[in-house]
Amino acid sequence: MEIKILKDENEIGAACGQFFVDYINANPKCVLGFATGATPVPTYNYIVDAYNNKKVSLKEISTFNLDEYCDIPKEHKNSYWYFMRENLFGKVDVNYDNVDFLNGNADTEAESARYAKAIADKGGIDVQILGIGRNGHIAFNEPSDEFTDEAWKVTLTQSTIDANSKYFDDIPMPHYAVTMGIGSIMRSKKIILIATGDSKAEAVKAMIKGPVTPQCPASILQQHNDVVIYLDEAAAALL
Ligand code: GLP
């Protein structure tokens, strides 16, 4: 694991954003794995600024997202599809034909197989961006007794519901989601994980210094050979 500690989320957004700009310019047809949540937003803002200044084009990239809620329409303002459109895809020249998402309202088994095949058909994910939950979850893989492989349907924990309920003002937050499994995430060729703020410090410590255990799903990243972890000073405080 390569660990980079920067001052705050803005410095991280600039560093990660510039990494993606350079990567896309060098590999215009790359396959990128995107994440939702507040953490990657400064990175997405940087990419949008670079696009507006004609420093990068996303028109040939392909994308896969980590996860999606079940039981809400794709177009609902709290769906992760909507989030990506608002924060990145709708602001750049990405080709929506090459944007793939898990469908939270489909038969999970068939959808999982479809997603695995779609990723494999593109040659795998070149770079996957990740955040981390307060309990060490990645995507929506919550602490459990075993590491998962391909995409699956998860019952969200109270910790995650408490953290994300604030975004739901018209309907209750769903209690289920579909998520790429740990195996699908680990098959990405490169992984960039970002954690900011003191609420992530315990999870960051467990991910980097603790044992590899499905009780802290992010700890599996210790076994990946190309992971870069960007932390701000608050998230790194317990290292
Ligand atoms: C959700 C997402 C994760 C994300 C996490 C942390 O659970 N499924 O992909 O990493 O929230 O979100 P935030 O970045 O808002 O702290």
Side-chain angles (χ1 to χ4, degrees), residues 100 125 156 199:
D100 207 340
I125 292 174
L156 302 175
S199 69

Side-chain angles (χ1 to χ4, degrees), residues 16-204:
C16 279
Q18 189 61 46
F19 166 82
F20 279 104
V21 168
D22 292 342
Y23 190 89
I24 294 165
N25 282 330
N27 308 278
K29 297 188 174 173
C30 61
V31 181
L32 300 181
F34 285 116
T36 51
T39 307
V41 169
T43 297
Y44 297 161
N45 288 343
Y46 188 96
I47 297 171
V48 171
D49 280 349
Y51 167 76
N52 286 335
N53 289 312
K54 304 200 181 337
K55 301 264 196 276
V56 70
S57 165
L58 285 74
K59 69 173 186 286
E60 292 186 295
I61 70 166
S62 296
T63 78
F64 291 92
N65 257 76
L66 285 171
D67 45 14
E68 182 56 283
Y69 288 113
C70 298
D71 308 321
I72 58 173
K74 178 180 173 185
E75 294 78 15
H76 189 272
K77 65 184 169 66
N78 287 115
S79 79
Y80 281 163
W81 183 86
Y82 188 96
F83 176 98
M84 289 307 300
R85 195 188 67 185
E86 292 299 295
N87 286 286
L88 183 63
F89 297 155
K91 296 179 171 176
V92 295
D93 58 348
V94 77
N95 177 354
Y96 276 98
D97 290 344
N98 293 328
V99 169
D100 207 340
F101 246 87
L102 282 162
N103 179 352
N105 297 311
D107 171 75
T108 308
E109 212 170 303
E111 180 63 359
S112 174
R114 182 197 70 76
Y115 214 54
K117 181 172 184 314
I119 294 171
D121 286 350
K122 295 271 186 183
I125 292 174
D126 293 312
V127 186
Q128 174 66 58
I129 187 165
L130 292 178
I132 184 171
R134 296 173 195 180
N135 59 4
H137 76 247
I138 47 177
F140 265 138
N141 294 282
E142 299 278 27
S144 74
D145 293 336
E146 55 186 354
F147 288 116
T148 54
D149 187 25
E150 296 293 0
W152 64 298
K153 182 169 180 173
V154 60
T155 307
L156 302 175
T157 63
Q158 197 56 46
S159 159
T160 300
I161 293 169
D162 290 346
N164 291 355
S165 295
K166 61 178 182 281
Y167 299 119
F168 286 82
D169 58 11
D170 59 343
I171 55 166
M173 181 176 155
H175 286 199
Y176 298 95
V178 275
T179 180
M180 275 170 63
I182 294 292
S184 15
I185 294 169
M186 288 292 280
R187 282 187 280 281
S188 306
K189 290 161 207 161
K190 183 180 187 77
I191 294 175
I192 293 181
L193 184 142
I194 308 174
T196 51
D198 56 7
S199 69
K200 303 293 174 67
E202 284 286 352
V204 165

